[in-house]
């Protein structure tokens, strides 16, 4: 293991200087080995006699390497080799060693052909099992794999020139039934279509059923992954067709499409199983289509946060990444492959840029910024991990395909939530608009009808005004005339002091009633102008009722009426005191007006859980049933039991005043049997 780690460290130091700089900055502390200790090849020999094959074994380590030479398949690997690890342009007869994953261009050339050899030492009981060897895709390469001198697998067609070889990105498997104790593996490999030739990933050795199960799991996983991504893309394209003003949906759909197509290229088996005759250049372009992911994703973020993300930076990434992809699309694959470093660099740079600005959006408390930031951070780490894995620096596992699916699914949930809120808001606004339109239509009809009735309404208003003024003049003239006559008597020198005292008491009552009438009119005037403001407070009910009953002493005496009440001294009511007095004055005056001589009036008080009720009952004339429905809504007047006249607006006024208290007034009456008025006031709400 120490020797292997030393080789890996040496390879890393001698890599392309640009790759070394930016990867060292990003992951200078990345571990180089895993915690498990599987056997590795040493000088072309791999001893697996102590490996139990519960897990598949990667054939990593030192393979015998022959640069630009096809070795005969019958040539066996000797048991021991001189400790020569210096790769150079030595004569073909010499042999050196090359670690799987180590790139040719680090020491030789990026393109060319070579032979790899490995001897595997199996245990005695190996013949009891069926094994399998799995070879993975290597960009731009073709392979011929021999086992003990027999050709077992061809991936593409090898050749010593670019014109004579056929590259592929597919993988393959070889079945090893009951292998020999010493099994020789030889690989002829040629690569003229990619500037990074070599074995990219070590072949895997394992029991046949384990390898087969692994392949099946990968096919299922890749199918689900690609299907989910392409379905997400299709869904967003369909949504965009119906909402073309929302380009954010289009950009996210294009992003899903790009990573969905790229996910097919992550495992060559999926693509070549679907399209066995797919041209290599198409498969190569598909593997680098991820260049377009960052432009589409940044466009999506810009549409979502236009005041956070910079349009100039977004356009820079669009021009740069799309330019790289167009070069890959039209240039020969060996030239297009040289853009891989730059494509990875700009992709990771774009992810880093989006993380910085999404963090700022989170700071500004923008909607859905936090979940997008978490997604982007996960994708950023996955991209770094897979880049290091691709260049042989980390030996853990590929995360990008899992992060693709998790990212798209989570982002789709976030977008679904975001757009659902927008749809619900639109539906609510639509319903409100429909109601407004309906209300407007009704208003137009009502206004048209009102305009047609304007003349009649004006005439009725003038008649009401004249009648109102006449009634006011009549009701005020009577007490004023009485006052004038009484004052004439008082000034008479023949009047005794006892008579004067009696007259003054009567004048006080008459003036109090006159003032009550004036206050009544003023309250009505303020109400019609919308200027009544309640001054709510807790009031001792008897402190209000007793003076009010006293003011009706002459009227009660005139009709020989009895006004009874049996109410607790502790009874309180929450109301505007002056308005409550006005309401009670009107209702009691109404009861007196329509009571027969020698009748009775009763005032009751009931304290309930949420309200206070006052009842005023009489045994007078009662109210006809046909008039009860409009009693509180229309102006109605009727002569009293002794021909008394009234305004006809008292009950309507009481109804409106009690509604200001958010209370209610009810009436129960039978003609000839009297009436019962119930006033309901809500109780004070304690905070």
């Amino acid at each position: 293991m120490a020797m292997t780690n030393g080789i890996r460290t040496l390879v890393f130091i001698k890599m392309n200087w640009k790759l070394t700089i930016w990867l060292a900055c990003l992951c200078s502390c990345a571990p180089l080995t895993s915690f498990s200790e599987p056997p590795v090849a040493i000088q072309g020999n791999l001893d697996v006699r102590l490996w139990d094959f519960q897990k598949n074994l990667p054939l990593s380590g030192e393979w015998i390497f022959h640069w630009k030479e096809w070795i005969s398949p019958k040539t066996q690997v000797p048991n021991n080799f001189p400790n020569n690890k210096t790769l150079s342009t030595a004569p073909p007869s010499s042999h050196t060693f090359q670690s799987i994953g180590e790139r040719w261009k680090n020491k030789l050339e990026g393109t060319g052909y070579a032979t790899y050899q490995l001897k595997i030492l199996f245990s005695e009981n190996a013949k009891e099992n069926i094994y399998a060897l799995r070879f993975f895709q290597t960009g731009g390469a073709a392979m011929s794999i021999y086992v003990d001198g027999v050709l077992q697998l061809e991936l593409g067609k090898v050749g010593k020139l670019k014109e004579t070889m056929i590259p592929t990105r597919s993988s393959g498997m070889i079945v090893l039934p009951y292998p020999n104790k010493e099994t020789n593996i030889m690989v002829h490999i040629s690569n003229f279509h990619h500037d990074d030739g070599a074995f990219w990933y070590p072949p895997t050795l394992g029991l046949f059923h384990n390898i087969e199960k692994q392949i099946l799991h990968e096919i299922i996983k890749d199918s689900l992954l690609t299907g989910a991504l392409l379905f997400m893309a299709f869904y967003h394209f369909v949504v965009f067709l119906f909402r073309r003003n929302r380009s954010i949906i289009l950009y996210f759909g294009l992003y899903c499409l790009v990573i969905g197509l790229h996910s097919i290229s992550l495992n060559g088996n999926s693509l070549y199983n679907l399209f066995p005759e797919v041209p290599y250049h198409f498969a190569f372009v598909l593997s680098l289509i991820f260049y377009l992911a960052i432009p589409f994703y940044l466009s999506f973020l810009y549409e979502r946060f236009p005041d956070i993300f910079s349009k100039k930076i977004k356009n820079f990434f669009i021009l740069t990444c799309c330019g790289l992809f167009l070069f890959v699309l039209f240039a020969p694959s060996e030239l297009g492959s040289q853009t891989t470093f730059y494509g990875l660099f700009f992709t990771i740079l774009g992810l880093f840029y989006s993380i910085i600005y999404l963090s700022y959006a989170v700071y500004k408390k923008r909607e859905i910024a936090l979940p997008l930031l978490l997604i982007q951070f996960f994708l950023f780490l996955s991209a770094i991990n897979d880049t290091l894995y691709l260049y042989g620096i980390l030996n853990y596992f590929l995360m990008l395909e899992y992060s693709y699916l998790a990212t798209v699914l989570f982002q789709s949930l976030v977008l679904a939530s975001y757009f659902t809120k927008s749809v619900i808001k639109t539906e609510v606004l639509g319903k409100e608009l429909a109601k407004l339109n309906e209300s407007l239509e009704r208003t137009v009809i009502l206004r048209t009808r009102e305009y047609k009735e304007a003349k009649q309404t004006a005439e009725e208003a003038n008649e009401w005004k004249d009648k109102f003024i006449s009634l006011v003049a009549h009701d005020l003239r009577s007490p004023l005339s009485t006052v004038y006559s009484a004052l004439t008597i008082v000034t008479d020198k023949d009047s005794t002091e006892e008579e004067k005292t009696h007259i003054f008491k009567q004048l006080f009552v008459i003036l109090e009633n006159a003032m009550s009438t004036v206050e009544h009119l003023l309250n009505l005037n303020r109400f019609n102008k919308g200027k009544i403001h309640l001054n709510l407070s807790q009031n001792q009910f008897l402190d209000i009722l007793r003076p009010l009953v006293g003011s009706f002493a002459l009227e009660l005496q005139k009709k020989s009426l009895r006004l009874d009440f049996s109410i607790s001294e502790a009874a309180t009511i929450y109301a505007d005191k002056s308005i409550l007095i006005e309401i009670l004055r009107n209702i009691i005056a109404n009861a007196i007006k329509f009571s027969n001589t020698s009748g009775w009036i009763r005032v009751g008080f009931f304290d309930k859980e949420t309200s206070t009720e006052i009842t005023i009952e009489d045994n007078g004339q009662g109210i006809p049933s046909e008039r009860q429905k409009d009693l509180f809504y229309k102006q109605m007047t009727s002569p009293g039991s002794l021909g008394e006249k009234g305004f006809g607006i008292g009950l309507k006024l009481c109804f409106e005043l009690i509604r200001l208290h958010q209370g209610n007034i009810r009436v129960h009456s039978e003609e000839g049997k009297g009436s019962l008025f119930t006033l309901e006031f809500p109780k004070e709400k304690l905070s």
Side-chain angles (χ1 to χ4, degrees):
M1 286 302 295
M3 183 179 299
T4 304
N5 290 340
I7 293 173
R8 289 178 180 171
T9 305
L10 180 63
V11 170
F12 176 66
I13 294 174
K14 293 186 178 181
M15 283 175 62
N16 185 296
W17 64 272
K18 291 177 286 187
L19 178 65
T20 304
I21 291 174
W22 73 272
L23 287 180
C25 293
L26 290 173
C27 290
S28 59
C29 298
L32 299 178
T33 61
S34 62
F35 292 104
S36 60
E37 296 291 339
V40 296
I42 300 176
Q43 296 189 0
N45 289 268
L46 178 61
D47 190 347
V48 299
R49 287 174 293 186
L50 299 179
W51 185 251
D52 61 2
F53 285 99
Q54 295 299 317
K55 296 181 180 180
N56 297 331
L57 176 67
L59 305 184
S60 56
E62 302 170 330
W63 289 46
I64 299 175
F65 180 71
H66 303 270
W67 175 243
K68 288 190 176 180
E69 185 177 359
W70 296 141
I71 301 299
S72 170
K74 299 294 183 180
T75 304
Q76 295 188 355
V77 178
N79 290 330
N80 293 296
F81 282 95
N83 189 15
N84 177 14
K85 299 181 183 179
T86 303
L87 290 179
S88 63
T89 54
S93 59
S94 67
H95 42 252
T96 56
F97 303 104
Q98 178 96 350
S99 294
I100 297 299
E102 186 178 1
R103 304 304 201 256
W104 295 346
K105 66 180 180 181
N106 293 335
K107 298 174 182 178
L108 300 166
E109 302 172 21
T111 58
Y113 63 95
T115 300
Y116 285 84
Q117 284 182 280
L118 179 70
K119 177 186 288 185
I120 303 176
L121 303 179
F122 286 96
S123 61
E124 288 290 344
N125 58 2
K127 290 185 175 295
E128 300 175 2
N129 298 308
I130 299 177
Y131 295 84
L133 267 173
R134 187 181 181 193
F135 288 80
F136 299 96
Q137 64 174 1
T138 296
M143 300 182 196
S144 294
I145 297 102
Y146 300 86
V147 178
D148 291 332
V150 180
L151 179 64
Q152 297 288 348
L153 178 65
E154 283 189 300
L155 300 176
K157 182 179 179 182
V158 298
K160 296 184 178 183
L161 299 173
K162 178 180 179 180
E163 293 75 18
T164 59
M165 72 162 290
I166 300 176
T168 184
R169 292 183 62 85
S170 64
S171 302
M173 183 181 69
I174 297 174
V175 179
L176 297 177
Y178 319 118
N180 298 323
K181 290 176 57 178
E182 295 185 358
T183 300
N184 288 273
I185 309 297
M186 180 177 290
V187 180
H188 290 171
I189 180 172
S190 58
N191 189 339
F192 292 95
H193 292 265
H194 199 287
D195 78 322
D196 203 11
F199 259 128
W200 283 3
Y201 312 109
T204 299
L205 174 65
L207 296 175
F208 172 73
H209 66 272
N210 288 339
I211 296 288
E212 189 177 40
K213 184 187 298 183
Q214 181 186 35
I215 293 175
L216 178 61
H217 287 174
E218 289 180 0
I219 291 175
I220 295 174
K221 177 194 64 181
D222 293 342
S223 300
L224 292 175
L225 171 65
T226 304
L229 293 172
L230 295 180
F231 175 79
M232 287 295 177
F234 174 76
Y235 168 76
H236 285 88
F237 290 152
V238 172
V239 173
F240 176 72
L241 289 177
F242 294 99
R243 303 195 65 184
R244 299 195 178 186
N245 60 326
R246 301 303 298 270
S247 55
I248 185 174
I249 303 174
L250 174 63
Y251 290 133
F252 189 74
L254 291 171
Y255 171 73
C256 293
L257 177 64
V258 165
I259 61 177
L261 294 175
H262 178 60
S263 68
I264 300 178
S265 69
L266 293 177
N267 185 346
N269 289 336
S270 300
L271 180 62
Y272 283 91
N273 284 335
L274 291 172
F275 309 102
E277 303 300 325
V278 63
Y280 169 76
H281 188 73
F282 177 82
F284 170 72
V285 169
L286 202 61
S287 69
L288 298 184
I289 198 173
F290 72 89
Y291 290 3
L292 301 178
I294 281 297
F296 290 139
Y297 192 71
L298 289 181
S299 298
F300 159 74
L301 292 177
Y302 176 77
E303 290 294 324
R304 181 64 191 89
F305 308 105
D307 58 331
I308 300 292
F309 284 82
S310 168
K311 185 176 182 181
K312 291 182 179 179
I313 296 179
K314 179 201 72 170
N315 291 337
F316 166 77
F317 277 99
I318 291 175
L319 292 175
T320 303
C321 295
C322 290
L324 285 175
F325 184 73
L326 288 175
F327 181 78
V328 169
L329 186 63
F330 295 107
S333 58
E334 64 270 22
L335 294 179
S337 63
Q338 297 178 15
T339 67
T340 304
F341 167 80
Y342 302 101
L344 290 171
F345 174 78
F346 283 113
T347 297
I348 294 179
L349 182 64
L351 291 172
F352 183 72
Y353 161 74
S354 64
I355 288 174
I356 297 298
Y357 279 79
L358 280 174
S359 300
Y360 182 66
V362 171
Y363 172 75
K364 289 290 186 178
K365 297 181 180 180
R366 299 301 174 83
E367 189 178 5
I368 76 171
L370 180 59
L372 289 178
L373 174 62
L374 297 176
I375 295 168
Q376 204 70 348
F377 188 73
F378 176 62
L379 193 61
F380 177 72
L381 294 180
S382 301
I384 292 178
N385 174 83
D386 282 31
T387 301
L388 297 177
Y389 185 92
L390 175 66
Y391 285 96
I393 299 173
L394 291 180
N395 290 326
Y396 294 133
F397 54 86
L398 294 170
M399 294 173 54
L400 196 58
E401 54 186 343
Y402 301 103
S403 64
Y404 275 165
L405 182 59
T407 298
V408 170
L409 289 177
F410 193 42
Q411 283 180 339
S412 297
L413 290 175
V414 171
L415 283 180
S417 174
Y418 172 71
F419 286 123
T420 298
K421 292 179 181 177
S422 299
V423 170
I424 292 174
K425 185 176 180 180
T426 302
E427 290 177 350
V428 171
L429 291 176
K431 291 179 180 179
E432 291 180 355
L433 181 60
K435 290 180 180 179
L436 287 175
N437 288 334
E438 184 179 350
S439 176
L440 180 60
E441 291 176 0
R442 290 197 301 265
T443 302
V444 170
I445 294 173
L446 290 174
R447 290 292 180 269
T448 303
R449 186 181 304 165
E450 289 173 359
Y451 291 147
K452 290 180 180 179
E453 298 173 353
K455 183 178 179 180
Q456 181 181 352
T457 303
E459 291 176 351
E460 291 177 354
N462 286 331
E463 290 177 2
W464 158 245
K465 181 182 66 175
D466 294 340
K467 186 176 181 180
F468 181 76
I469 292 173
S470 299
L471 290 173
V472 170
H474 177 271
D475 285 356
L476 290 179
R477 183 176 59 186
S478 178
L480 289 176
S481 297
T482 304
V483 170
Y484 178 79
S485 300
L487 288 175
T488 303
I489 297 172
V490 169
T491 56
D492 189 355
K493 295 180 180 180
D494 296 332
S495 300
T496 64
E497 289 299 323
E498 185 179 353
E499 290 175 341
K500 290 180 180 181
T501 301
H502 179 72
I503 290 172
F504 279 132
K505 289 182 178 180
Q506 294 296 323
L507 285 175
F508 180 79
V509 174
I510 292 169
L511 288 174
E512 188 179 49
N513 288 334
M515 289 177 63
S516 176
T517 301
V518 172
E519 186 178 357
H520 169 88
L521 295 173
L522 290 176
N523 280 338
L524 176 62
N525 182 56
R526 290 201 305 273
F527 176 78
N528 286 336
K529 291 183 178 179
K531 295 181 180 178
I532 287 185
H533 301 286
L534 298 180
N535 184 17
L536 298 171
S537 63
Q538 291 287 354
N539 299 279
Q540 294 293 329
F541 184 64
L542 288 179
D543 291 347
I544 295 174
L545 183 61
R546 286 190 180 115
L548 187 60
V549 172
S551 68
F552 288 108
L554 291 178
E555 287 85 346
L556 293 170
Q557 184 180 358
K558 184 177 179 180
K559 284 192 172 184
S560 300
L561 296 175
R562 188 178 76 254
L563 196 155
D564 300 325
F565 57 87
S566 179
I567 300 172
S568 171
E569 293 288 342
T572 60
I573 184 168
Y574 185 67
D576 184 302
K577 183 176 180 180
S578 62
I579 293 180
L580 176 60
I581 293 173
E582 187 64 31
I583 294 171
L584 293 174
R585 187 191 305 279
N586 274 275
I587 301 297
I588 294 175
N590 233 38
I592 295 172
K593 178 181 176 182
F594 293 102
S595 290
N596 299 315
T597 303
S598 301
W600 52 262
I601 299 172
R602 298 191 186 112
V603 178
F605 185 92
F606 301 94
D607 191 5
K608 296 192 173 181
E609 183 177 354
T610 59
S611 63
T612 303
E613 289 187 356
I614 301 170
T615 59
I616 301 172
E617 184 180 7
D618 65 75
N619 63 342
Q621 296 178 353
I623 305 170
S625 58
E626 64 272 10
R627 300 191 63 180
Q628 291 182 25
K629 61 179 181 179
D630 296 324
L631 192 62
F632 302 114
Y633 305 103
K634 292 184 180 180
Q635 175 193 351
M636 283 190 262
T637 182
S638 299
S641 60
L642 297 180
E644 300 99 323
K645 294 182 179 180
F647 290 104
I649 57 174
L651 291 178
K652 183 177 185 298
L653 175 64
C654 291
F655 174 76
E656 297 296 345
L657 291 176
I658 204 168
R659 288 299 291 265
L660 284 177
H661 288 75
Q662 298 182 357
N664 194 16
I665 182 171
R666 303 188 301 274
V667 63
H668 177 74
S669 180
E670 293 184 32
E671 195 169 1
K673 294 183 179 181
S675 302
L676 172 64
F677 285 85
T678 302
L679 312 179
E680 182 181 347
F681 290 85
K683 287 191 173 182
E684 180 180 8
K685 294 180 180 178
L686 300 177
S687 58

